[in-house]
Amino acid sequence: MLDGMDNEQRYRAVATRDARFDGAFVLAVRTTGIYCRPSCPARTPLQRNVRFFATSAAAHEAGYRACKRCLPDAVPGSPEWNLRSDVAARAMRLIADGIVEREGVTGLSARLGYTARHLNRLLTAELGAGPLALARAHRAQTARELLVATDLPAGDIAFAAGFGSIRQFNDTIAEVYDRTPSQLRATRRTPFADLSESRPAGGGADSDKPVGVRVRLALPVRLAFDAAGVFAWLAARAVPGVEDASASHYARTLLLPGGPATFDVRWDGGRLQLTATLATVADLTPLVARVRRLFDADADPVGIDEALATTPALAPSVAAVPGIRLPGAVDPHEMLLRALVGQQISVAAARTQLHRLAEACGSPLPLADGALSRLFPTPAQVVAHGREVLVGPRTWTENILAIAGLLADGALDLGWADDPAAQHDRLVAVRGIGEWTANYVAMRVLGHPDVLPTGDVALRKGAARLGLPDRPNDLAAWAVHVSPWRSYASLHLWRAAARPIKNGEPL
C-alpha cells in the first residue's frame, strides 16, 4: 500500500485524511510553513501549495515547522525502513537505535560501509536530509514525546533524547516545534506516564542510592494490530528468569549500552504501554527502538493483509487474524544463539535448554524484579560455561560453542542494519548455521518481510493444512505469488500448523 506512491496518490490520501499513511510521509504547506501528518484535521491545502517529504528531517531542512494541531511526529514509524534493504533504510534503523548519539556519524557510516561524506550525499539525495539532520529530528521527536508523556525533568529528557547540552535541546525544540520545552509540556491533557527512582529494598547502608530510573510511555502502533498473536508467540518462547509473559503482557531483562534494564509491555487496545527501569535515561532511545522492532509496531498491516488476502488459501486466516505481526528481536547476537539452540527441536525443548543456559551463564540482575532475575548470557558467557549445561549431540553442542566464540571475539557480527543478502551469506558460511537459521535470523533481527523458510517442518505442516504444496521446492514456487510479504505468509502457515484439528479440519 505504501510502497511506490506518487504525489497524486499521496494527495488523495491527504484529501481523505487517511490515518493509515501517518508516518509513511509528511506533507508541507508552502503558504503556512508547517508540515503535517496525512490525517491532519485541518482544512486540506490546495495541491499546488503542497510538498511531500519522506521524513520529518527533510521538512525541517527545507524550513518547515511541525504542525501544533496534528503532531506529525506522534505516529508510528515508516514501514519503509523494514521493507527496504538499501542504505537509506538501514541507516534509519541505526539512527532510531541511537547510533549517532553513541558513535557519531563516523560510527554510523562505518557500520554501513561508507565514508561519512559519501553517506551524507546518499541520504541527502534519497531522504532530503543527511545523517546529522535525521538524528536531530529523531532526538526532537523523542524529546517531544517525553515532554508530553512523562514527568521526567527537562534536563533528563534532553539527555534521554540524545542531546549534548540543555542549550542544544532548547534551541532544537524551539526551531522544530516553535515552542519552548515548557510550552510543549503544558499541552499534555492528562499525565499517563511517570518517573521514579528505583532503590534497593530492605534499607541498609546503600538503600538511599538509586539504581535506575523508571519510565512509562505509550507507543503508537499502526492498526490493525494482532496483539494476542504477538503476546502468544513471545510467551511460548519466554525463558524463565529472563522473560515473563502471558496472553496480555510481556516483560524481560536486557543489557543496554548504559547497563542492565527491565521492561514490561501491555496492550491497551490502541497503544503499547511500556514500563521500563533503566540504568540511565540515555538508554531510553535504544530501548524504545528495540521494543518497536520486537512488536513490529511500524508494519503496514493494511497493505500486507490486502496482498495476502488475494491468495485463496490464506484469505480465511487473514480475515480471522487482521494485522498479524512478525515478532522481532531485542539483541541480534542473542537471537542467533536462540535460533541455534532451537533448530531441529521443539519450541518447548528449546525453551528448556535456554533456561538452563541462562541459569548457568547469565549475569544476575543487581535487584530481582519480580519474575525477572537475570540477563540472557552473552556469547562470551556461553563459551565459558555453556558446555556444562547444553544437552544434546556433541556436534550440535560444539557448533553452538564455536559460533558463540566467533560472536564473542568479533569474527562474526550481526546488526539491525545488515544487508540481508550479505548477512545470509556470512551466516551460512559458518559451520553449524544452515538455511533455516539464516532465514529465521533475517526474519527476527532484520524484520525482513520476504522470507519463507521452506525447510521448516511446522511451516510445511501448516501449508498442507491449508491445501498448499508442502514440498520445499513446490512451496517456494507458490510463495513467489505472495512476495514481498512471504514472512507474514509464514506466520499464517505456522498458525495453521498450531491450530487443533476437529473432524479433519483445523479449528
Side-chain angles (χ1 to χ4, degrees):
M1 179 183 72
L2 304 180
D3 189 31
M5 296 180 70
D6 59 29
N7 284 347
E8 187 66 33
Q9 292 170 316
R10 292 188 181 95
Y11 187 76
R12 286 201 297 270
V14 170
T16 57
R17 295 181 173 83
D18 195 332
R20 295 176 298 173
F21 296 92
D22 289 351
F25 62 86
V26 297
L27 69 143
V29 185
R30 294 184 176 93
T31 52
T32 62
I34 65 171
Y35 71 90
C36 304
R37 64 169 77 185
S39 67
C40 183
R43 180 180 177 181
T44 303
L46 296 175
Q47 188 169 3
R48 65 173 179 268
N49 293 330
V50 169
R51 293 182 65 187
F52 294 103
F53 295 97
T55 64
S56 297
H60 299 164
E61 290 294 281
Y64 294 92
R65 297 178 186 270
C67 176
K68 297 177 182 178
R69 184 173 182 182
C70 72
L71 299 176
D73 300 328
V75 296
S78 173
E80 288 282 311
W81 312 138
N82 278 352
L83 180 61
R84 292 164 46 175
S85 58
D86 59 4
V87 175
R90 292 160 56 206
M92 289 299 287
R93 294 178 217 162
L94 290 174
I95 289 169
D97 196 60
I99 288 295
V100 172
E101 285 71 32
R102 296 195 298 273
E103 302 179 13
V105 174
T106 301
L108 173 67
S109 58
R111 286 175 176 262
L112 295 169
Y114 292 89
T115 65
R117 179 176 297 181
H118 188 46
L119 180 63
N120 185 72
R121 287 198 299 266
L122 285 173
L123 296 184
T124 301
E126 179 70 22
L127 302 178
L132 280 176
L134 291 165
R136 177 174 175 268
H138 188 265
R139 288 195 292 270
Q141 293 166 18
T142 301
R144 187 207 61 78
E145 179 65 20
L146 293 174
L147 284 166
V148 302
T150 78
D151 292 323
L152 279 167
D156 285 348
I157 288 175
F159 295 111
F163 289 99
S165 67
I166 301 297
R167 179 176 180 178
Q168 184 188 56
F169 163 67
N170 290 332
D171 290 348
T172 299
I173 294 299
E175 182 178 344
V176 173
Y177 297 108
D178 196 26
R179 294 180 182 181
T180 64
S182 59
Q183 288 173 327
L184 272 178
R185 170 150 278 174
T187 64
R188 63 177 177 177
R189 296 176 182 175
T190 56
F192 54 83
D194 63 13
L195 161 76
S196 61
E197 290 183 339
S198 300
R199 300 176 183 275
D206 295 328
S207 62
D208 61 341
K209 295 180 180 179
V211 297
V213 291
R214 186 172 177 85
V215 180
R216 295 174 55 214
L217 279 176
L219 307 181
V221 174
R222 188 168 280 105
L223 302 176
F225 180 69
D226 176 29
V230 179
F231 284 119
W233 174 287
L234 295 173
R237 294 159 177 80
V239 178
V242 175
E243 298 166 289
D244 180 41
S246 70
S248 60
H249 94 287
Y250 173 77
R252 71 158 290 161
T253 64
L254 179 63
L255 184 62
L256 291 168
T262 63
F263 69 85
D264 179 283
V265 180
R266 299 171 189 266
W267 175 245
D268 68 3
R271 293 179 294 191
L272 292 169
Q273 297 290 343
L274 169 67
T275 303
T277 301
L278 307 170
T280 168
V281 290
D283 279 340
L284 186 58
T285 291
L287 175 66
V288 169
R290 295 177 198 198
V291 170
R292 296 192 67 81
R293 294 186 67 79
L294 180 65
F295 284 84
D296 199 12
D298 299 326
D300 172 18
V302 175
I304 294 167
D305 287 354
E306 286 180 351
L308 296 183
T310 62
T311 303
L314 296 180
S317 183
V318 172
V321 190
I324 202 167
R325 287 307 206 268
L326 176 62
V330 294
D331 182 275
H333 290 180
E334 174 189 316
M335 183 48 61
L336 175 57
L337 291 173
R338 293 175 76 135
L340 290 168
V341 171
Q343 61 186 0
Q344 300 180 353
I345 61 176
S346 68
V347 171
R351 183 181 180 183
T352 298
Q353 290 271 19
L354 291 166
H355 181 207
R356 290 166 53 88
L357 200 63
E359 285 292 314
C361 308
S363 299
L365 283 182
L367 287 175
D369 186 358
L372 305 178
S373 59
R374 62 185 56 249
L375 296 165
F376 192 87
T378 65
Q381 290 172 325
V382 171
V383 173
H385 305 291
R387 190 183 305 276
E388 305 164 12
V389 294
L390 287 172
V391 177
R394 180 177 178 181
T395 300
W396 175 79
T397 301
E398 294 297 332
N399 283 339
I400 291 176
L401 295 174
I403 294 166
L406 294 176
L407 293 171
D409 64 21
L412 177 64
D413 192 24
L414 298 174
W416 318 112
D418 289 352
D419 175 78
Q423 184 191 86
H424 172 273
D425 293 346
R426 190 163 67 248
L427 288 175
V428 297
V430 177
R431 181 180 178 181
I433 301 180
E435 284 290 328
W436 182 90
T437 303
N439 285 331
Y440 189 74
V441 168
M443 295 171 76
R444 300 292 304 277
V445 171
L446 301 181
H448 197 311
D450 203 26
V451 176
L452 190 92
T454 55
D456 187 274
V457 174
L459 186 138
R460 298 205 309 269
K461 177 182 176 182
R465 284 189 171 185
L466 296 181
L468 295 171
D470 59 355
R471 293 182 178 180
N473 289 341
D474 295 337
L475 186 56
W478 166 83
V480 171
H481 302 293
V482 293
S483 181
W485 307 118
R486 283 178 279 199
S487 296
Y488 294 90
S490 298
L491 293 171
H492 284 286
L493 298 185
W494 276 321
R495 179 178 177 272
R499 289 159 60 193
I501 295 289
K502 183 177 181 180
N503 298 327
E505 294 292 334
L507 295 178

